[in-house]
Amino acid sequence: MNQIFKKKVIEKPVTSETPAPNRTDYLIHSTVLYQYLDMAVEGREGTVITVGGKGASLSSHSVFAVANNLAQVRIDSSSLDRLSNQKHNKNQQPPPPAKFTFSLLKNLSPQEARASLLLLLNKLLLSSSASSAGIRPHLPLLISDTLNNSNNNNNNNPNPSASQTLDFDHAYDVTNEELLVLEKSSLFILDGICAILDHQSSALSSIVDAVAALSCEASGADASAFSSIDSGDGSSANKDEIAVASDLKVFLNGSKLLGKLECEAVSEIPQLHGTFREIARLVHSRTRVELNSPVVFAKVGNKGVSTSGGTAKALATAFLTLSEALRHLGNCSWTRAKLSIDAIINVDLRSSLMEMFNRECPRADSLGNLFLSSSKASFGGQYITFFHELNGLSEMVRKIVCWEAITAFVSLEGSEIIDKVQGNAPSSVEMNVKSDKKSEKRKKVLGKGTTVLMQIIREKLRSGVGEAVDRSDLLEKWVQDLLSLLDPTHSDFGTLLKKVKEIVESNESRRLPKLPKGTRDFAKEQMAIREKAFSIIMEVFKRHGAMALDTPAFELRETLMGKYGEDSKLIYDLADQGGELCSLRYDLTVPFARYVAMNGITSFKRYQIAKVYRRDNPSKGRYREFYQCDFDIAGQYETMGPDFEVVKVMTELLDELNIGDYEIKLNHRKLLDGMLDICGVPSDKYRTICSSIDKLDKQSFEQIRKEMVEEKGLTVLIADKIGTFVKERGSPLELLSKLKQEGSQFLKNEGSHMALNELEVLFKALEKSKCIGKVVFDLSLARGLDYYTGVIFEAVFKGATQVGSIAAGGRYDTLIGMFGTKQVPAVGVSLGIERVFTIMEQLHKEQNQVTRATETQVLVAILGDDLSLAAELVSELWRARVKAEYMVSKRVKKHIERAIASRIPLMVIVGEREVNEGVVKLKDVEAATEDEIRREILVEELQRRLSGGISP
């Protein structure tokens, strides 16, 4: 990370006799939005930029400060010493002087010329080859004096950037060698303008969101688009778009001025401003490197020093995106400014402001013309012209943004302030508006952030209110004051940036936190559904004799890698801790295999319900953290026995969860390999082609065919042959019979023949168990995971809620052997419970079912404030294993509302009278009946009623 060195001299101007001040290092992170905030203009005469020192580096801010006469230049003495250490023949006469003027800079603005000279000076001082190329200390001192003299000439000017001058016509004495360096220094011009563009882009990106927020309120725009960004459903918004939308919501929080005006210039703010932020960050990164990159000065015959044309091209390429981003930013800002003017109710004020806006604000077509002109210059290789015009484009956009702020302020408060100053009575139009109390109230309520911004603007404009009472004079004063407020060379701009930063950061704690994409919170009703589902699932697993197992949420990375094929890229890697590389578990199967191998187990029927993690792109029903419910059988058993039981377990789970219609697609990995062999696929491509085939449920075969041919190297003939096979699907026994008929190619392949025989055993078992009706034999099912070796299956929900696969699994006979010396065959199924929950929640919603979040059976309602009485009664119920809650309140209505809201069936009501008489009131909430019973038989009576059918 580069460091920025700033020098300050306090109280007195810098002269040649001023001692070198102490150096302070400032480290600025390039990706922070307010990276230049602490570099806002700090002074004029007292700010010094030191160049040439050991370890020193230029920043865009320091270049901008010198370029705008806001700082002087000081050369570190050590760099001059290096240039003085040239080895010359003592008898050699000094070379005859040549005359040089800075004519190369005449076509640039004074700001650009000064930035270019500073870059040339810095390169001369830092180059290790400068002295050998014949550069004397005289040349950098000449450049430094030129910069500082033009600065001193303008010290009395309150706005130095407006009249900075360089003496282009004065001829300076230089050697021929130095002349060659100066005449071939065009690259330094590019670097200088790049630094200005970098600084201005950062300053602009820091303020445009705040100005846009004011415009949204001034025009009554519909800002709902800001809330739709980053909805957490896997949308494509990048982090900069999300950040812009978040900042706008902070500025507009609580605003009553937003309306229903729909406009692309508003809805596209997150995208355009976010893109501008991203490009400004990239520009900064490139400029930071460019400013301090080494340069070699060498004698090249009579041709002198030539700059690299390739470097100029690379710079122009990097900055072309900035020109496009500026054009879009300016166009949308201009449109919003126009909307703010149109929203002004006072006809005279609107007309005056529109006239001034048309006269002084750059027009959208001017913006387009300058963009085209700069692009044409870049296309023609005229890179200095390109960067010069790009700098002009940047300044034009800044002025448009200033006018957006002006029009927004006038629209929001201009009419009221002018009437107050002039003592005018409101017009009839205004009277009609003000008669609407809702409109009046609405107009007063700005967002919490924009309220602060408006206060800053009012304070800036306050001085002008007492000096001008004519409307046009007052508008002119406001325009000039706001232009200076938003000018990066003005000290007020730094104050504004600090306030903007405070607004955003002070609201960080008030912003609603959000979940990472692909994760979920589960409310109390959802948890009730989950717990019910988990109890059903565990009951099915235990019914089949499975034992529970739990493993760590993360494994050694080497344990997980190489087991999932192309899906290995979705594994979450963790930081190195204690010398171990770990990753979050991708599924529960590989950890199970590791456990079996590590403990030398040869037979194990287990279940596990736990969270797994995928570094995936979230979408509906597709999460990055989710539960899996696994059932696996490891060990030697009869042929296809475990496979049958696992498929049977899957059907029982889905039937008892009662989610609706589903089907189980089933295939055999050896049958699939045999099919690929028959088609002519090389064996080393089986797994990658299986991965392509596995996408057929989401993509057309034409898309898969293109992937297999263009990306994975199959011939068109082989791909088409695969297509004829993977289209086969149907009833298990019927399709099996077709594949086994005489002459079938599958019978000639050893692997596929064996697979067909195993499938025949499996299908007959499933038929006898009366669940084969849920199974579809599908040759397109491939399951992309590498560890499958036999039967593979996948359950798909067929209802209206589209969630994809809800359960899947297969046989993996070699996975356990990867972790140990002994192969232990295994087969298992994993239920994608999160997708099942999505279906169950949708069904509850469609059927208007009400889910109880608790199982509370009794509410102990104490009428009064006696907590000890509540503790006594409810503790008796808890000891009796009655599910109970208590509430202490003097109001009977609150107790009843609590019982109804929580759907608690029974209430025990105790007030002062009940305590004195030794009784309680037992209320049936649903039936609205009430009985009085003796206190000592309360527990017995409750148990009787609860066991008699009154349940949660």
Side-chain angles (χ1 to χ4, degrees):
M1 183 70 70
N2 287 333
Q3 289 184 322
I4 298 156
F5 300 104
K6 295 192 285 191
K7 307 272 190 180
K8 295 183 184 178
V9 177
I10 308 301
E11 296 180 352
K12 59 182 180 178
V14 175
T15 68
S16 59
E17 299 177 354
T18 303
N22 294 327
R23 183 167 70 188
T24 304
D25 298 346
Y26 290 85
L27 182 61
I28 305 299
H29 194 289
S30 64
T31 60
V32 177
L33 175 62
Y34 300 98
Q35 56 191 317
Y36 290 112
L37 182 57
D38 65 336
M39 298 183 194
V41 176
E42 299 163 356
R44 290 180 171 42
E45 302 167 358
T47 303
V48 175
I49 305 298
T50 300
V51 292
K54 184 178 181 182
S57 60
L58 277 182
S59 69
S60 294
H61 166 70
S62 57
V63 176
F64 185 83
V66 172
N68 288 279
N69 265 337
L70 305 174
Q72 290 187 314
V73 177
R74 177 183 178 276
I75 299 176
D76 190 278
S77 59
S78 62
S79 60
L80 293 177
D81 292 340
R82 289 196 300 271
L83 291 178
S84 298
N85 290 333
Q86 303 178 72
K87 294 183 180 180
H88 294 294
N89 187 330
K90 293 183 179 180
N91 297 322
Q92 180 180 348
Q93 294 297 319
K99 294 297 183 180
F100 173 75
T101 63
F102 291 109
S103 58
L104 186 66
L105 307 178
K106 280 188 173 181
N107 294 327
L108 303 181
S109 69
Q111 178 196 55
E112 294 167 342
R114 292 175 57 80
S116 303
L117 282 179
L118 178 61
L119 262 295
L120 174 57
L121 174 62
N122 190 55
K123 300 289 185 181
L124 288 172
L125 296 174
L126 295 182
S127 173
S128 60
S129 60
S131 62
S132 61
I135 307 298
R136 303 168 298 160
H138 170 74
L139 181 57
L141 286 171
L142 183 153
I143 297 173
S144 174
D145 288 344
T146 301
L147 290 169
N148 289 335
N149 286 338
S150 65
N151 186 29
N152 292 334
N153 290 338
N154 294 302
N155 277 341
N156 295 323
N157 189 341
N159 189 6
S161 62
S163 61
Q164 39 190 304
T165 59
L166 289 172
D167 190 354
F168 294 120
D169 297 321
H170 181 75
Y172 297 91
D173 290 338
V174 296
T175 66
N176 286 325
E177 292 167 319
E178 291 167 340
L179 182 61
L180 293 174
V181 170
L182 291 169
E183 290 179 341
K184 301 295 183 179
S185 57
S186 61
L187 183 59
F188 307 133
I189 296 176
L190 303 186
D191 289 346
I193 302 177
C194 285
I196 295 171
L197 284 167
D198 175 26
H199 187 280
Q200 292 188 154
S201 297
S202 178
L204 191 59
S205 69
S206 303
I207 206 69
V208 287
D209 299 335
V211 174
L214 288 174
S215 292
C216 290
E217 292 184 311
S219 61
D222 179 6
S224 59
F226 307 154
S227 298
S228 64
I229 298 291
D230 189 33
S231 58
D233 60 355
S235 62
S236 59
N238 64 34
K239 64 179 182 180
D240 290 300
E241 293 177 23
I242 295 169
V244 169
S246 297
D247 289 348
L248 284 165
K249 286 187 285 187
V250 168
F251 285 118
L252 298 171
N253 182 26
S255 174
K256 300 297 183 183
L257 292 173
L258 300 176
K260 297 182 179 181
L261 177 66
E262 295 183 2
C263 175
E264 285 187 356
V266 172
S267 62
E268 291 180 349
I269 290 174
Q271 290 78 15
L272 295 180
H273 290 202
T275 300
F276 184 70
R277 278 192 190 187
E278 181 181 8
I279 292 172
R281 195 165 56 247
L282 293 174
V283 162
H284 173 70
S285 178
R286 179 59 189 261
T287 303
R288 185 185 58 188
V289 174
E290 195 69 30
L291 291 184
N292 299 285
S293 59
V295 173
V296 177
F297 295 102
K299 298 179 181 179
V300 191
N302 293 324
K303 297 181 180 179
V305 179
S306 61
T307 58
S308 169
T311 303
K313 291 176 183 176
L315 272 179
T317 302
F319 277 75
L320 269 172
T321 54
L322 177 62
S323 64
E324 185 78 15
L326 283 168
R327 179 171 71 96
H328 291 307
L329 196 73
N331 280 331
C332 285
S333 180
W334 191 91
T335 301
R336 290 192 298 270
K338 184 70 168 54
L339 290 174
S340 294
I341 296 174
D342 293 341
I344 297 175
I345 298 172
N346 186 308
V347 177
D348 294 336
L349 178 61
R350 183 172 67 244
S351 177
S352 297
L353 184 61
M354 178 62 77
E355 180 184 354
M356 194 178 298
F357 177 75
N358 289 335
R359 183 177 70 247
E360 299 185 23
C361 179
R363 297 180 60 83
D365 54 357
S366 300
L367 195 69
N369 291 336
L370 190 53
F371 168 76
L372 291 175
S373 176
S374 64
S375 300
K376 183 178 179 180
S378 175
F379 182 77
Q382 299 173 339
Y383 298 121
I384 292 180
T385 302
F386 165 68
F387 278 98
H388 170 69
E389 294 191 345
L390 179 55
N391 190 30
L393 183 67
S394 175
E395 177 62 17
M396 185 179 290
V397 172
R398 186 191 69 80
K399 287 182 179 178
I400 292 174
V401 172
C402 290
W403 270 98
E404 182 185 356
I406 293 165
T407 57
F409 174 79
V410 175
S411 178
L412 288 168
E413 296 197 359
S415 180
E416 296 172 5
I417 294 176
I418 288 176
D419 285 339
K420 183 177 180 180
V421 171
Q422 296 178 332
N424 293 341
S427 65
S428 59
V429 175
E430 291 171 309
M431 287 294 292
N432 291 335
V433 174
K434 289 185 178 181
S435 65
D436 187 343
K437 293 183 179 180
K438 290 185 178 180
S439 297
E440 183 179 19
K441 182 179 179 181
R442 177 174 175 267
K443 187 172 183 179
K444 293 180 180 179
V445 184
L446 281 77
K448 291 182 179 179
T450 50
T451 298
V452 177
L453 291 175
M454 289 294 287
Q455 182 60 35
I456 297 171
I457 295 174
R458 289 190 206 100
E459 291 175 358
K460 175 67 178 176
L461 306 183
R462 187 174 296 163
S463 60
V465 172
E467 299 170 5
V469 293
D470 181 81
R471 175 183 284 116
S472 60
D473 290 343
L474 192 54
L475 283 178
E476 289 282 359
K477 177 67 176 175
W478 286 352
V479 168
Q480 295 306 315
D481 286 348
L482 280 172
L483 286 174
S484 66
L485 178 63
L486 296 174
D487 185 350
T489 65
H490 200 285
S491 58
D492 286 342
F493 185 74
T495 303
L496 178 62
L497 279 189
K498 288 180 181 179
K499 280 296 182 182
V500 170
K501 182 182 180 183
E502 287 173 7
I503 292 169
V504 175
E505 292 187 348
S506 66
N507 279 272
E508 284 290 340
S509 59
R510 302 177 194 172
R511 293 191 200 184
L512 288 175
K514 61 183 180 181
L515 283 170
K517 293 178 182 178
T519 62
R520 298 178 69 187
D521 283 330
F522 293 92
K524 53 188 181 180
E525 293 83 4
Q526 293 171 311
M527 284 304 299
I529 296 174
R530 289 168 70 89
E531 289 177 354
K532 179 181 178 181
F534 280 140
S535 66
I536 292 172
I537 293 165
M538 284 191 284
E539 173 62 29
V540 171
F541 289 161
K542 292 178 179 179
R543 186 189 307 156
H544 286 262
M547 295 171 284
L549 175 69
D550 193 18
T551 56
F554 54 89
E555 298 273 351
L556 290 176
R557 191 169 186 271
E558 63 192 46
T559 299
L560 302 180
M561 295 308 294
K563 314 300 188 303
Y564 303 107
E566 294 184 9
D567 282 353
S568 292
K569 64 181 180 291
L570 302 181
I571 293 175
Y572 265 115
D573 291 330
L574 303 177
D576 184 351
Q577 294 288 344
E580 289 186 334
L581 293 176
C582 297
S583 301
L584 293 176
R585 60 189 173 203
Y586 179 87
D587 65 5
L588 301 178
T589 306
V590 171
F592 168 65
R594 188 264 309 154
Y595 174 84
V596 171
M598 192 175 75
N599 291 278
I601 298 172
T602 58
S603 179
F604 190 17
K605 184 185 289 187
R606 83 88 163 88
Y607 77 88
Q608 184 175 359
I609 300 176
K611 287 183 177 180
V612 298
Y613 303 87
R614 306 282 170 89
R615 192 167 57 86
D616 206 346
N617 291 319
S619 59
K620 186 173 183 180
R622 192 175 187 91
Y623 302 97
R624 295 193 293 182
E625 178 195 65
F626 55 94
Y627 273 97
Q628 280 189 343
C629 304
D630 276 26
F631 176 88
D632 293 83
I633 303 174
Q636 295 287 349
Y637 294 90
E638 66 281 347
T639 301
M640 303 309 290
D643 306 74
F644 151 71
E645 186 170 4
V646 166
V647 176
K648 178 63 176 172
V649 164
M650 184 162 52
T651 63
E652 290 179 11
L653 287 173
L654 298 178
D655 287 342
E656 295 186 28
L657 288 170
N658 196 29
I659 60 172
D661 196 17
Y662 65 90
E663 69 176 16
I664 297 173
K665 298 190 291 184
L666 189 146
N667 200 0
H668 198 296
R669 207 58 180 272
K670 290 179 181 176
L671 181 64
L672 195 60
D673 289 349
M675 178 190 76
L676 296 178
D677 183 36
I678 293 168
C679 293
V681 177
S683 59
D684 61 343
K685 291 188 176 183
Y686 283 3
R687 294 290 75 86
T688 185
I689 297 303
C690 282
S691 178
S692 296
I693 295 173
D694 194 43
K695 301 174 186 175
L696 278 169
D697 60 335
K698 305 178 186 71
Q699 300 179 18
S700 68
F701 180 75
E702 285 304 314
Q703 292 172 298
I704 301 303
R705 178 178 180 271
K706 183 178 180 180
E707 178 181 306
M708 291 190 294
V709 173
E710 296 183 4
E711 298 180 23
K712 300 188 176 179
L714 294 188
T715 66
V716 174
L717 183 62
I718 293 176
D720 288 339
K721 198 168 184 179
I722 291 173
T724 62
F725 284 112
V726 295
K727 294 175 184 177
E728 294 282 1
R729 76 188 306 268
S731 169
L733 290 173
E734 290 179 7
L735 182 54
L736 179 69
S737 176
K738 177 181 177 180
L739 298 179
K740 291 189 70 175
Q741 67 186 358
E742 187 175 351
S744 171
Q745 292 176 289
F746 288 106
L747 298 180
K748 300 175 184 178
N749 181 280
E750 182 179 355
S752 60
H753 193 178
M754 179 187 298
L756 291 174
N757 290 336
E758 289 181 350
L759 288 173
E760 185 172 14
V761 174
L762 174 62
F763 290 157
K764 287 181 178 179
L766 293 173
E767 183 181 33
K768 292 296 183 181
S769 69
K770 303 188 184 305
C771 65
I772 199 170
K774 294 291 187 181
V775 178
V776 175
F777 189 6
D778 190 338
L779 293 189
S780 70
L781 180 66
R783 302 292 297 153
L785 300 181
D786 276 3
Y787 54 65
Y788 288 125
T789 59
V791 171
I792 50 177
F793 38 81
E794 182 176 277
V796 179
F797 180 61
K798 298 176 69 175
T801 304
Q802 298 299 312
V803 294
S805 170
I806 52 177
R811 174 163 285 280
Y812 49 97
D813 286 347
T814 61
L815 179 60
I816 295 173
M818 292 182 183
F819 301 109
T821 58
K822 188 173 183 179
Q823 291 287 1
V824 180
V827 63
V829 62
S830 179
L831 180 68
I833 192 65
E834 303 294 348
R835 296 183 178 185
V836 171
F837 289 149
T838 300
I839 298 168
M840 294 176 72
E841 289 164 10
Q842 185 62 32
L843 289 174
H844 273 69
K845 183 178 180 180
E846 292 173 356
Q847 298 168 5
N848 294 319
Q849 296 181 13
V850 179
T851 303
R852 280 199 63 192
T854 71
E855 297 182 6
T856 304
Q857 299 166 310
V858 180
L859 175 65
V860 176
I862 304 299
L863 303 179
D865 55 7
D866 192 348
L867 176 62
S868 62
L869 177 59
E872 178 187 2
L873 280 170
V874 77
S875 295
E876 285 186 31
L877 302 186
W878 289 338
R879 283 193 295 271
R881 301 295 186 268
V882 175
K883 298 171 183 174
E885 297 181 47
Y886 70 89
M887 183 176 178
V888 178
S889 175
K890 295 179 181 180
R891 298 177 59 189
V892 177
K893 185 178 180 181
K894 291 188 68 175
H895 291 285
I896 295 175
E897 288 174 349
R898 166 76 175 276
I900 293 174
S902 300
R903 301 184 66 204
I904 301 174
L906 296 175
M907 291 178 64
V908 174
I909 304 173
V910 182
E912 184 178 355
R913 184 186 70 80
E914 286 78 18
V915 171
N916 293 334
E917 296 180 5
V919 298
V920 299
K921 289 181 180 177
L922 188 56
K923 182 179 182 65
D924 185 321
V925 178
E926 186 175 352
T929 59
E930 190 173 282
D931 298 310
E932 191 171 272
I933 61 173
R934 298 196 315 276
R935 168 74 175 75
E936 61 267 21
I937 66 169
L938 172 61
V939 172
E940 179 183 347
E941 178 63 19
L942 283 174
Q943 290 176 330
R944 185 187 67 79
R945 292 200 183 195
L946 292 172
S947 63
I950 301 177
S951 59

